[in-house]
Every structure is written in structure tokens, then in C-alpha cells.
Amino acid sequence: MAGSLRIKVDDPSDAWIKAMKGKYKPIAKAATMAMRQVANNIKVEGRANIISAGFSRAWANSFRSDAYPSGGKVSADAAAMVRHKIDYADIFETGGVIHGDPTLWLPLPSTPKRIGRKRITPSLYISQIGPLFPIRRPGKPPLLAARMGVSARAKKSGSFGKVTNAKLRKGASGSGPRVAVPLFVGIRQVDIKQKFHLRAITKANAAKLAAYYYQHFIDE
């Protein structure tokens, strides 16, 4: 059984305390610089991974990796926090099945993506714009549709152009020519495959921490 070495200093002198403080600063600086380097690598590589999976720049920028302490402070206990600001983003890291309750209503490609700054959902649409009504299709997933305002010429020609919130608000007002446009499709469940590899990126960079620490300590 291996022994242990313990050192106890009673009433240390000022010189001893100063010597220990002098040793702490380069250690703290190396630890902090190494952690910042790892955190930055994770952020850069993670965002590139999200973009390569076909997600938007906004999705990529919502992936954060921050080192602490921040600013000009240093600490031997430096740490990093890795997170994604979009609360349901983890499903794209792990994959999985999302079940409806009983139905999941997904916006169609032609549906506006947002109302204001919020992602469009049936409940948000109803509260912000107007009513929705179901379209039942035997043997096919049901739809939720709304009335959209169009010009008399567009209604006659059948060419309605892009679906916009402005046109939908006009349709919800009940004035002028209107047409029905499907906005959401209802499904029982959706099977999401793994899209991100953020955990693997984090683990690979964490393994480099000791090398980065040594490099910064020697450079100091």
C-alpha cells in the first residue's frame, strides 16, 4: 500500500506566504488560458458542426461555450460551461422520437416561420392572428388551415403568391376576397435522427486541456 506525504506549516513566515503566492499566479494563469482555449475550440467546432448539419447561423450562434473566470481574472480552478440556448436542441444531439398529444402540428414549408420573434405554432397563430380550421383527408394526415386575404384578380386566377402574416391578418379580418390556405400538418410522431456531435467535440477538446496547460505554463 502506497504511503502519503503530508506537509503542515504552523505560523508560516511572510517570506513563505509570498513564495507560495508567487507560485500560484503562473499556475492560475496557465489553467485559465488553457480553459479559454478549450472553450473557444468547442464553440468554433460546435458551431461549424451545426451549420454542416443544415441548420441556420442563428442555431449555430445559440451554441455557447464560456470559460470562467471571465475578463482579466485568472484562477487555478478555471472552468467552462457548454450549452445550447434553444431548450429542445438536445434532441438533435441524441436523436429520438417525439410523440404527439395526440397530434404534432408541424408548419408546412409555405407557412411563415415566425410571428414577430416567436416560432409559429397553432396556438400562437390563434392568439396573434385568427382562427384555424381542420381539413380532414381520408388516408392522409389532417391539416390546419386559415383564411388568407387576396385580391379579386388573384382569386380569379388562382395564383395567390407567397403566404405572409399580413395576408393572413387580412383574411382573419373577414373583409375582401379570401382563400383557404393550409398552414400545419398533423402527425402522430416524428423520428429525429442524430444531427449534431457536440458531445464528441467537447470530449475531444477536453482531452487536450493538459497539453494546453503545459504549453501556457512553459510560455509563462
Side-chain angles (χ1 to χ4, degrees):
M1 181 176 178
S4 60
L5 174 65
R6 296 183 180 180
I7 300 175
K8 182 179 180 182
V9 179
D10 292 318
D11 191 21
S13 66
D14 289 342
W16 190 89
I17 293 174
K18 289 178 180 178
M20 290 302 98
K21 286 182 177 180
K23 295 293 184 183
Y24 175 81
K25 188 171 182 179
I27 291 173
K29 186 175 180 180
T32 303
M33 295 298 290
M35 190 62 70
R36 287 175 183 168
Q37 189 169 352
V38 166
N40 186 66
N41 288 354
I42 292 170
K43 179 173 66 177
V44 171
E45 294 175 24
R47 289 180 176 181
N49 180 243
I50 292 170
I51 291 291
S52 68
F55 287 74
S56 68
R57 176 61 60 182
W59 263 82
N61 289 343
S62 294
F63 178 64
R64 305 292 179 87
S65 181
D66 301 313
Y68 300 94
S70 58
K73 297 179 181 179
V74 297
S75 172
D77 297 319
M81 177 181 290
V82 178
R83 69 194 189 283
H84 202 291
K85 291 179 66 178
I86 299 175
D87 55 7
Y88 57 90
D90 195 57
I91 190 67
F92 299 107
E93 171 72 23
T94 62
V97 178
I98 300 177
H99 297 276
D101 187 23
T103 305
L104 282 170
W105 292 102
L106 304 179
L108 295 168
S110 57
T111 302
K113 297 291 187 291
R114 296 180 176 275
I115 299 176
R117 294 186 177 182
K118 295 184 178 179
R119 184 171 55 89
I120 194 168
T121 64
S123 59
L124 181 65
Y125 183 91
I126 292 169
S127 67
Q128 296 293 318
I129 295 182
L132 294 166
F133 57 90
I135 298 176
R136 305 296 179 188
R137 306 183 299 167
K140 295 182 179 180
L143 300 172
L144 284 178
R147 302 291 180 185
M148 182 175 77
V150 296
S151 67
R153 179 180 295 180
K155 185 171 184 178
K156 184 177 180 180
S157 68
S159 179
F160 311 129
K162 185 178 179 180
V163 179
T164 66
N165 288 333
K167 291 180 181 178
L168 291 167
R169 291 184 192 279
K170 183 179 179 181
S173 72
S175 62
R178 298 183 298 164
V179 295
V181 291
L183 297 179
F184 302 92
V185 61
I187 59 176
R188 293 291 183 181
Q189 65 181 44
V190 58
D191 186 4
I192 296 177
K193 304 298 183 184
Q194 183 185 19
K195 304 285 187 180
F196 305 158
H197 299 87
L198 304 178
R199 285 184 173 83
I201 289 170
T202 299
K203 184 177 180 180
N205 279 285
K208 302 174 183 177
L209 189 59
Y212 289 152
Y213 170 84
Y214 180 76
Q215 176 186 334
H216 286 294
F217 188 79
I218 295 301
D219 291 344
E220 178 69 16

